[in-house]
Amino acid sequence: MSKKKKNKSKQTDNRQQQEPGPMMEEAVQVQSSEYAYNHSALCTLHSAFRWCGSLAVAIFLMALLMILLGWATFVENKYGANVAQYAIYRSWWFDVLLTLFGLNVLCAMLARLPWRWRHIPFVVAHLGILILLIGCWVTSRYGLEAQLTVYEGELGRFAQRVSGDEINLEIIDFHNQSRDSHGAIAGRSDELEHERMAREQLDVLRDRSKIKPPGVELQPDLDTLANTYRERVPVTLGPMNWRDQAVWPVSWLLKLAKRSQGTVYDQDGIRVELLDYLADSRMKPADQLMLRIQKIGVQTTDVGLEDEATNTNPETRSLKPEVWETRELPLGLVSEDSRGQDPYLTSLPEERITYRLTKSNAETMAFLELPQEQALGTWGSVVIRVGGSQYVIAVDDLIKRQAQFGKKLNDTLFAKQQAEIDATGLRIQQLAPDEGTDIETIKTQLAEKESEIARLDKELAEFNAQIRMAIGETGLSFEMTQFRTDAMLMILNVYREDDTRYIIALSGDYPLSSTVPDALGMQIMHLFDPDVIINEQPDQASSMAFNRAMKPRLDLLQGRDQKLYYRFWDGWKYSRSGEMPTDQTVLPLQGHDGSVLNIAVNKYEPQDYPGLKLVAEPFKNPSANKMGTVPCVKLRVCVDGVGDETYWVQKTPFLIPATQLREHQAGYVSGQNRTVAVTFPMAWLDLGFSLFLHKFERKLEPGISMPSHFSSLVSVYPIDDTNADTTGREPLHDYVLIRMNQPGMFADQVTGRKYRVFQSSYQGPFHPGMEQYEMRRQGGYLIEGETQPRESLYASTLTANHDPGRGWKYLGSLMIVIGTLAFFYAKKNANARNSSRERQ
């Protein structure tokens, strides 16, 4: 083949290779469409990215922020800082707005990649803005602020949180055998506890009557606090009543703010719902219950009007109507100790009427439920309702057990107490031996005493097992320690499995006056038949208790639903119960002798607490007087599907022990063999160090009573649960002066958090004769190291602030300043260069 033909053949093959076929054309079209789609998506994403970082978006967001900050300033001036913080600064939408602003700054930085030297001021300033926003978020999320008020010569460790609320749950499990499950602090051994008790005894022996012990902590120790509360549930409630959040012009902001409404806790069979909140409420006296009472007595001759509706035998009996009597009744508590008080009597000598307030639906059901017929025995039976079940115990058996083991138990208990006193004395000798004391002999004697105490403990456990009676499978047991047959009054000790004891005074004549602790969730009655006692124990038949028990009695009860219920006793027998009409309808109650007691309610006002009614106060400006108002929450608590209660709980003062709570400061709900106590306390913060106030100093402006300067001289000690006294303890920081503009820096010994402690305010001066002075002086004690009593006493209020984002905020602010200055410097140099070029 010639060279010309070969070249022509190659050209033909190349054209065939270059010309695509149908399959290749289709593939090329698919690749082109995919490329176009990807290119379009990338362009859209790039356009959105550049738009997010554009100057227009930045100007819009900054303008919106400026408007909102100005609005927040107005709100703060008019309604207070709490409203501004809740409605604006700590709202979710304000966080979203700051996040968008941070995203705009980040996009503006990334849009200028790759960065050049001329971009450095811009990048530094914008990076500073991001770091500042991060620091603000860290402070908002993890920052803490609390106020500590401490008197001169005292220690303070537990501070009150400035912001934030919480609901505390104390779960009392009757089957719990260890206090550790209630949150007790570990590592507190019996040896350390004995040493602490011995040191206290040693201080007494040394007669420190002229020096006030400076180690009195303002609050209980950690063990007490840990066992008081098991669960702490943080909640967000806001600065005003939920029903009054229509305050113009912030109503729309308040509706957008976060608040803890609905279920706030749902674990382990316990559910807590938050239904309502009153930021300002007060207790006001409630109107008493007013009744109209009429007694229709039995006559032996047919001389009066016959009432077919109430006379069971009109042929042999006639009823004579008597005048109506009006009676006002005050309200008491079911568990109120009214022993020694007469029931509320009418002028009718045969009738008695009691009026009480129940604290649970279970008590209402037990009130309405008719007792089952029981073989009462000579002295009757104790009827117990707990956990939805009923238990009946014969009093005769309790008397026999008490007679058989009571004396042995008391003798053993007395012997143990004496042995413990002797052992304490030996420990004191071991800590502070006298001259010539043989330490080894003391150790031997102490070991013998401890062995004797262990033996007596074992005997006590055996006697307790014999004298106590178990209440079914509830984990509770009880014993009777005293029984007065003349008054039908018995004293019972009820025990949990961890030997926690509850004392009950049980009255057979007045079941509603029996003292039953709320923690037990128990309803208990003593039922007896006076006729049986008269026949078998005639020497007791003349007592006043039997005479009263054989007469009719009407018990009135306000239920948890604020309805009025009644229970009528015809003599000792429980004859009738139900809901009491409150619309002046006459309720006839017939006795076994044919007499009739007509009852009508003239006036009834439901009460939240005995004699008191909870009233919501409208929103007030923070500068207005709020004395006497207390926040409170309305809760619904369900335990084990058995207890389901709805009630109001007022906020408790700062760190008040559970044993000192008032009726309206705690709610108790009983479930299956356990009770949950719900409180709404002031939020507290354990600082992790103890601060001792040596002296507070105040200086006044010349000629006026306004302070120009005040400061606190303090020492900071490490925490020590076994010895709160500062004697012999090395301070972490000694004699630190805290002024108004000179804070102190101290670290939490447990968590490592650092607190800046500022001087914020003070209380006093308190002079001799004033309550605050006399309580702290403790009967003439002086502050340690001083020889004369002070003429006045002060209390200093310090603010402890933990701000983990402070460094970020300082760094971000510094970078913004540096970037801004560098930008203007670069701009100035650029202008100078341009001017030089123009001149040339």
Side-chain angles (χ1 to χ4, degrees):
M1 184 181 294
S2 64
K3 186 175 181 180
K4 186 174 181 180
K5 289 183 177 180
K6 288 182 179 180
N7 292 336
K8 188 175 180 179
S9 177
K10 289 181 179 179
Q11 292 176 0
T12 304
D13 294 339
N14 291 336
R15 285 197 301 269
Q16 291 177 354
Q17 292 177 0
Q18 291 176 359
E19 293 178 1
M23 297 292 293
M24 186 175 293
E25 290 181 358
E26 183 178 355
V28 170
Q29 291 176 2
V30 170
Q31 291 178 358
S32 300
S33 62
E34 289 181 355
Y35 174 78
Y37 175 79
N38 292 334
H39 180 72
S40 175
L42 288 175
C43 290
T44 302
L45 183 62
H46 184 262
S47 300
F49 175 77
R50 295 188 65 85
W51 179 82
C52 288
S54 64
L55 182 62
V57 174
I59 292 175
F60 172 77
L61 292 175
M62 286 189 291
L64 184 59
L65 279 172
M66 291 177 61
I67 294 173
L68 288 174
L69 292 176
W71 183 260
T73 303
F74 166 76
V75 171
E76 185 171 354
N77 290 334
K78 186 172 180 61
Y79 301 107
N82 290 336
V83 176
Q85 289 284 342
Y86 173 73
I88 301 176
Y89 295 123
R90 293 181 180 174
S91 62
W92 64 268
W93 56 264
F94 193 75
D95 293 339
V96 170
L97 185 60
L98 291 179
T99 302
L100 292 176
F101 180 66
L103 184 62
N104 169 260
V105 173
L106 179 63
C107 292
M109 290 174 53
L110 298 179
R112 285 162 174 78
L113 287 173
W115 296 328
R116 295 181 174 85
W117 282 105
R118 61 188 178 87
H119 293 146
I120 290 179
F122 174 84
V123 172
V124 171
H126 282 64
L127 187 60
I129 295 174
L130 291 177
I131 293 176
L132 177 62
L133 291 175
I134 292 173
C136 293
W137 178 83
V138 171
T139 297
S140 175
R141 180 67 175 82
Y142 301 102
L144 296 171
E145 188 171 86
Q147 287 188 340
L148 174 69
T149 300
V150 57
Y151 282 79
E152 291 177 304
E154 289 186 350
L155 282 166
R157 173 179 170 184
F158 300 94
Q160 179 179 336
R161 293 278 296 272
V162 174
S163 62
D165 293 295
E166 62 185 26
I167 294 171
N168 287 340
L169 310 178
E170 178 190 1
I171 296 95
I172 306 171
D173 192 341
F174 301 148
H175 284 292
N176 179 33
Q177 298 184 11
S178 173
R179 294 181 64 186
D180 292 339
S181 62
H182 285 268
I185 301 301
R188 184 87 180 261
S189 65
D190 291 339
E191 182 180 353
L192 293 176
E193 182 66 16
H194 289 321
E195 183 178 350
R196 182 187 66 81
M197 295 173 60
R199 289 185 183 277
E200 291 179 355
Q201 294 288 340
L202 185 61
D203 289 341
V204 175
L205 294 178
R206 289 176 177 174
D207 189 21
R208 300 175 61 187
S209 60
K210 293 184 179 180
I211 298 178
K212 175 182 177 180
V216 180
E217 291 276 6
L218 293 184
Q219 310 301 340
D221 61 20
L222 280 181
D223 279 352
T224 303
L225 291 173
N227 283 286
T228 301
Y229 305 122
R230 180 178 175 181
E231 296 290 346
R232 299 170 64 184
V233 184
V235 293
T236 302
L237 300 173
M240 61 182 61
N241 304 340
W242 286 356
R243 62 188 67 175
D244 295 333
Q245 290 197 355
V247 179
W248 189 91
V250 295
S251 57
W252 63 278
L253 294 175
L254 293 172
K255 292 178 181 178
L256 294 176
K258 296 181 294 185
R259 67 181 184 186
S260 302
Q261 191 172 19
T263 301
V264 295
Y265 183 87
D266 191 0
Q267 297 180 23
D268 191 27
I270 301 172
R271 187 177 73 254
V272 180
E273 298 179 29
L274 188 52
L275 304 180
D276 199 359
Y277 171 67
L278 298 179
D280 296 298
S281 67
R282 66 175 70 245
M283 292 292 185
K284 293 186 177 180
D287 293 335
Q288 295 183 352
L289 175 66
M290 184 175 293
L291 301 177
R292 289 193 306 124
I293 306 170
Q294 182 192 41
K295 172 66 180 296
I296 302 177
V298 179
Q299 301 294 321
T300 56
T301 58
D302 188 5
V303 294
L305 177 67
E306 297 183 5
D307 189 345
E308 298 293 339
T310 57
N311 191 358
T312 58
N313 192 353
E315 295 182 358
T316 58
R317 294 181 180 272
S318 296
L319 303 177
K320 178 182 178 182
E322 298 182 2
V323 296
W324 285 89
E325 174 189 317
T326 301
R327 179 71 175 175
E328 286 188 348
L329 297 180
L331 181 59
L333 282 173
V334 169
S335 62
E336 184 181 31
D337 185 0
S338 58
R339 287 176 291 146
Q341 302 177 4
D342 291 332
Y344 307 113
L345 301 175
T346 67
S347 60
L348 304 172
E350 298 283 330
E351 278 67 46
R352 297 171 296 153
I353 301 178
T354 63
Y355 182 29
R356 294 289 187 268
L357 168 68
T358 183
K359 295 172 290 183
S360 70
N361 294 328
E363 289 179 356
T364 304
M365 297 302 296
F367 179 84
L368 296 174
E369 184 180 352
L370 293 173
Q372 301 176 5
E373 292 293 334
Q374 303 291 339
L376 297 177
T378 303
W379 295 106
S381 298
V382 175
V383 180
I384 299 174
R385 291 182 178 87
V386 61
S389 301
Q390 177 175 293
Y391 306 92
V392 181
I393 298 96
V395 178
D396 295 357
D397 293 342
L398 298 177
I399 295 174
K400 291 178 183 178
R401 286 173 177 261
Q402 176 65 23
Q404 184 176 1
F405 301 106
K407 187 176 185 305
K408 296 179 182 180
L409 184 66
N410 292 335
D411 293 343
T412 306
L413 185 60
F414 178 78
K416 179 188 173 183
Q417 292 173 350
Q418 186 62 44
E420 288 177 341
I421 293 174
D422 296 340
T424 301
L426 291 172
R427 293 190 186 97
I428 292 173
Q429 293 182 29
Q430 186 177 357
L431 287 173
D434 298 330
E435 294 183 5
T437 302
D438 187 357
I439 299 298
E440 294 300 325
T441 302
I442 293 177
K443 289 183 178 180
T444 303
Q445 294 175 352
L446 181 58
E448 293 176 354
K449 285 295 179 183
E450 290 176 346
S451 177
E452 182 182 357
I453 292 173
R455 178 183 60 81
L456 293 172
D457 279 334
K458 184 177 179 180
E459 291 184 6
L460 283 173
E462 293 176 355
F463 289 147
N464 286 331
Q466 293 170 335
I467 196 173
R468 295 179 190 175
M469 299 189 69
I471 305 178
E473 301 295 329
T474 62
L476 296 172
S477 60
F478 77 104
E479 64 179 351
M480 184 179 68
T481 62
Q482 184 181 358
F483 181 43
R484 289 184 54 186
T485 58
D486 59 335
M488 297 304 291
L489 175 67
M490 67 176 66
I491 306 299
L492 303 176
N493 288 338
V494 180
Y495 297 90
R496 300 204 317 247
E497 287 189 351
D498 60 356
D499 277 344
T500 302
R501 182 181 65 170
Y502 302 90
I503 301 176
I504 295 178
L506 182 60
S507 172
D509 188 28
Y510 311 139
L512 287 181
S513 66
S514 302
T515 59
V516 182
D518 298 323
L520 292 175
M522 177 186 295
Q523 296 82 44
I524 184 169
M525 289 190 302
H526 176 203
L527 300 180
F528 63 95
D529 187 346
D531 293 334
V532 175
I533 298 177
I534 290 173
N535 294 331
E536 299 185 9
Q537 300 287 339
D539 56 325
Q540 302 290 341
S542 61
S543 68
M544 186 179 300
F546 298 129
N547 293 332
R548 287 196 302 260
M550 298 183 71
K551 297 176 181 178
R553 184 179 76 246
L554 176 66
D555 295 331
L556 297 176
L557 187 75
Q558 178 186 308
R560 177 71 81 180
D561 55 4
Q562 295 194 331
K563 294 181 180 179
L564 191 63
Y565 299 94
Y566 74 92
R567 180 169 63 182
F568 181 61
W569 297 78
D570 183 14
W572 68 275
K573 295 183 179 180
Y574 185 12
S575 63
R576 186 176 176 184
S577 62
E579 183 178 347
M580 186 78 181
T582 57
D583 56 356
Q584 300 187 8
T585 300
V586 177
L587 176 68
L589 300 173
Q590 182 174 334
H592 64 279
D593 60 353
S595 62
V596 176
L597 185 67
N598 291 325
I599 304 291
V601 177
N602 261 13
K603 183 173 64 175
Y604 169 65
E605 180 183 13
Q607 303 177 26
D608 296 296
Y609 305 100
L612 299 173
K613 189 172 182 62
L614 187 66
V615 178
E617 292 288 329
F619 175 76
K620 296 180 180 179
N621 189 285
S623 61
N625 182 17
K626 293 188 177 183
M627 293 296 294
T629 62
V630 182
C632 61
V633 293
K634 188 176 184 180
L635 301 169
R636 181 185 179 189
V637 183
C638 183
V639 181
D640 301 331
V642 178
D644 191 348
E645 308 290 346
T646 302
Y647 49 83
W648 286 96
V649 175
Q650 278 197 345
K651 201 163 195 175
T652 57
F654 179 57
L655 279 179
I656 295 296
T659 55
Q660 300 178 12
L661 294 178
R662 297 182 179 178
E663 176 65 24
H664 49 273
Q665 294 170 347
Y668 294 85
V669 181
S670 297
Q672 194 70 36
N673 303 334
R674 61 177 177 171
T675 297
V676 177
V678 186
T679 56
F680 176 39
M682 295 283 188
W684 57 272
L685 176 66
D686 183 3
L687 298 177
F689 57 82
S690 296
L691 190 147
F692 180 79
L693 179 59
H694 294 281
K695 186 175 180 59
F696 177 83
E697 184 178 11
R698 179 191 66 166
K699 292 183 180 179
L700 302 178
E701 293 283 357
I704 59 176
S705 59
M706 293 293 294
S708 61
H709 163 83
F710 49 89
S711 60
S712 299
L713 185 63
V714 303
S715 291
V716 178
Y717 289 88
I719 57 175
D720 185 354
D721 295 334
T722 61
N723 182 17
D725 199 335
T726 60
T727 305
R729 294 166 59 186
E730 290 294 330
L732 298 172
H733 306 276
D734 204 9
Y735 291 99
V736 179
L737 185 63
I738 299 177
R739 296 173 178 167
M740 297 175 64
N741 298 318
Q742 180 182 328
M745 179 72 76
F746 312 121
D748 188 327
Q749 299 300 296
V750 178
T751 63
R753 285 193 293 252
K754 293 184 179 180
Y755 293 95
R756 290 166 59 88
V757 180
F758 298 86
Q759 180 72 63
S760 56
S761 62
Y762 66 94
Q763 299 176 22
F766 304 111
H767 300 285
M770 300 178 68
E771 180 181 1
Q772 294 86 347
Y773 184 92
E774 297 299 331
M775 288 177 62
R776 268 72 192 180
R777 193 179 63 170
Q778 295 186 358
Y781 288 131
L782 308 180
I783 297 176
E784 185 180 26
E786 300 184 358
T787 58
Q788 298 293 330
R790 294 188 178 183
E791 296 180 357
S792 61
L793 192 69
Y794 285 92
S796 177
T797 300
L798 304 168
T799 298
N801 179 268
H802 171 64
D803 188 357
R806 184 162 56 95
W808 293 79
K809 290 184 286 186
Y810 285 168
L811 176 61
S813 301
L814 180 62
M815 293 181 66
I816 292 173
V817 173
I818 293 175
T820 303
L821 293 177
F823 175 79
F824 282 111
Y825 178 77
K827 187 73 172 178
K828 181 179 179 181
N829 288 342
N831 293 335
R833 287 194 299 269
N834 292 333
S835 299
S836 177
R837 290 191 187 117
E838 290 176 358
R839 286 195 299 269
Q840 292 176 359

